[in-house]
Amino acid sequence: MKTITSVAALREELLNEWEHSIGLVPTMGSLHAGHFSLIKEAKKNNDIVVVSIFVNPLQFGPDEDYDTYPRAFMMDEQYAEELGVDIVFAPTVQEMYPRTMYNKVHVEKGTQALCGKSRPGHFDGVSTVVLKLFNIVEPKRAYFGLKDAQQVAVIENMVIDFNLPVEIAACETVREKDGLAVSSRNSNLTRQERGQAVYLHDCLQEVKKSVEAGERDTAILEEEMRAFLHSNTDGVVDYCEILTFPELKHQSLLSGKIIIAAALQFSKVRLIDNVIVHVKGEKSYVSNNDEI
Ligand code: AMP
């Protein structure tokens, strides 16, 4: 495995691989089981796997956790090596943004809800860095996690709008034993918050059950989510939303493929989670996303 920190060196290295398919897994490091599943998927379908590790300042708001975002580069390299990653691309901020940019990606649609609404400019920052990574690595496929489902939708839309020659693979959310979605940020939860964090997952499951039982009224279901989180956690509810997926449109009465999503702010960490389900027909029928 090679660790490469400069764009020029990475390009040179990849010149030798022009005959091989490249799978790219973009990450912000502090690698965990969620990232591992993306890397394993990339290993299955590509000759060369590149994992980028870059905490992208462009996607953090001024009051967000850029400075405290967990960084664990030595461990990351070790995990990547064990998983058979070919190249870790770990540029500095200066390497990725050597000058004030004259151009950035601006996401026009699909950011009025969920994280896009509470984190203005976040997806512009994500799309800008992902476009740069696509241009630097020129992957055949790129791997993203459905834990960040809105991100998957935004990137897929960018690929369509800009005719980018890359396939996007969306991978299922990996969870801790109690159901909490694995996240680099979980390490910044206090002990008490970690205990309560599981209710984010439980909240989604409770609402999914209500949909299974026949409830279709979005307002009632969203209120049920808020009440559940209020009564079980000290976190501040950022959003509880149920929208169509991947369009992220509001419906008063649910039908079709939907995303049930919530974000909860703890003292230092904001957690997000979602479940995607398919609501079919008059009577309630709900299946997991992977059963659709
Ligand atoms: P991050 O390092 O948080 O930017 O995440 C890098 C990639 O890993 C993104 O595509 C995330 O959606 C994905 N990811 C993060 N956590 C998980 C998880 N628990 N399960 C699956 N994918 C994940």
Side-chain angles (χ1 to χ4, degrees):
M1 186 186 83
K2 286 190 177 155
T3 296
I4 296 178
T5 55
S6 87
V7 172
L10 181 67
R11 285 220 168 106
E12 193 163 322
E13 182 68 28
L14 293 175
L15 272 183
N16 305 323
E17 308 293 350
W18 64 274
E19 279 183 323
H20 294 132
S21 59
I22 299 171
L24 171 66
V25 182
T27 83
M28 296 204 296
S30 267
L31 299 185
H32 54 62
H35 301 119
F36 301 165
S37 75
L38 269 52
I39 292 170
K40 285 179 191 156
E41 205 51 39
K43 287 280 299 173
K44 266 192 241 164
N45 299 313
N46 301 278
D47 302 321
I48 302 284
V49 172
V50 178
V51 173
S52 63
I53 297 182
F54 180 61
V55 185
N56 174 34
L58 233 56
Q59 69 190 67
F60 288 78
D63 299 325
E64 293 182 357
D65 59 349
Y66 177 72
D67 291 334
T68 55
Y69 193 86
R71 288 156 170 94
F73 188 66
M74 304 280 264
M75 283 303 293
D76 289 348
E77 271 190 311
Q78 213 170 304
Y79 287 137
E81 175 104 57
E82 282 165 20
L83 288 163
V85 169
D86 298 284
I87 297 173
V88 167
F89 177 51
T92 58
V93 173
Q94 175 64 20
E95 181 69 15
M96 284 300 271
Y97 303 117
R99 60 175 200 177
T100 305
M101 291 182 83
Y102 284 50
N103 300 278
K104 282 178 191 161
V105 178
H106 171 63
V107 186
E108 288 280 351
K109 286 181 81 167
T111 52
Q112 288 79 10
L114 309 179
C115 294
K117 192 170 163 191
S118 22
R119 303 183 70 187
H122 169 67
F123 287 112
D124 290 0
V126 169
S127 301
T128 300
V129 79
V130 169
L131 181 60
K132 281 174 73 82
L133 289 168
F134 285 174
N135 285 332
I136 294 165
V137 178
E138 296 185 47
K140 184 169 168 61
R141 302 181 187 89
Y143 295 77
F144 294 87
L146 280 167
K147 172 175 170 283
D148 302 286
Q150 188 172 23
Q151 175 169 276
V152 172
V154 162
I155 298 298
E156 279 179 343
N157 284 325
M158 178 172 77
V159 166
I160 293 169
D161 285 345
F162 294 152
N163 306 93
L164 303 179
V166 57
E167 285 168 35
I168 302 302
C171 304
E172 287 303 313
T173 301
V174 176
R175 298 178 178 283
E176 303 284 0
K177 278 206 185 81
D178 64 0
L180 174 67
V182 180
S183 164
S184 308
R185 288 188 166 99
N186 292 351
S187 62
N188 282 345
L189 291 167
T190 66
R191 225 180 130 95
Q192 190 198 3
E193 288 170 344
R194 173 62 188 86
Q196 294 181 359
V198 66
Y199 289 109
L200 185 56
H201 164 258
D202 292 354
C203 161
L204 303 174
Q205 293 305 316
E206 283 300 311
V207 173
K208 188 175 157 186
K209 273 190 220 149
S210 300
V211 180
E212 272 166 341
E215 184 59 75
R216 290 289 179 273
D217 189 314
T218 306
I220 291 175
L221 291 162
E222 288 177 349
E223 189 44 43
E224 183 187 336
M225 291 169 79
R226 271 187 286 273
F228 186 93
L229 290 174
H230 277 137
S231 55
N232 288 296
T233 80
D234 299 319
V236 177
V237 176
D238 180 351
Y239 62 73
C240 289
E241 286 187 88
I242 308 177
L243 304 164
T244 61
F245 190 81
E247 305 81 6
L248 305 182
K249 296 250 166 68
H250 172 81
Q251 299 174 302
S252 304
L253 288 178
L254 298 178
S255 70
K257 193 170 176 182
I258 58 162
I259 181 167
I260 306 170
L264 192 58
Q265 178 73 50
F266 284 108
S267 59
K268 291 204 188 90
V269 186
R270 180 175 166 281
L271 296 183
I272 59 170
D273 201 353
N274 71 79
V275 56
I276 296 167
V277 295
H278 201 182
V279 183
K280 275 190 191 163
E282 293 273 301
K283 285 249 161 201
S284 93
Y285 169 78
V286 178
S287 69
N288 285 323
N289 184 38
D290 51 3
E291 290 167 8
I292 290 171

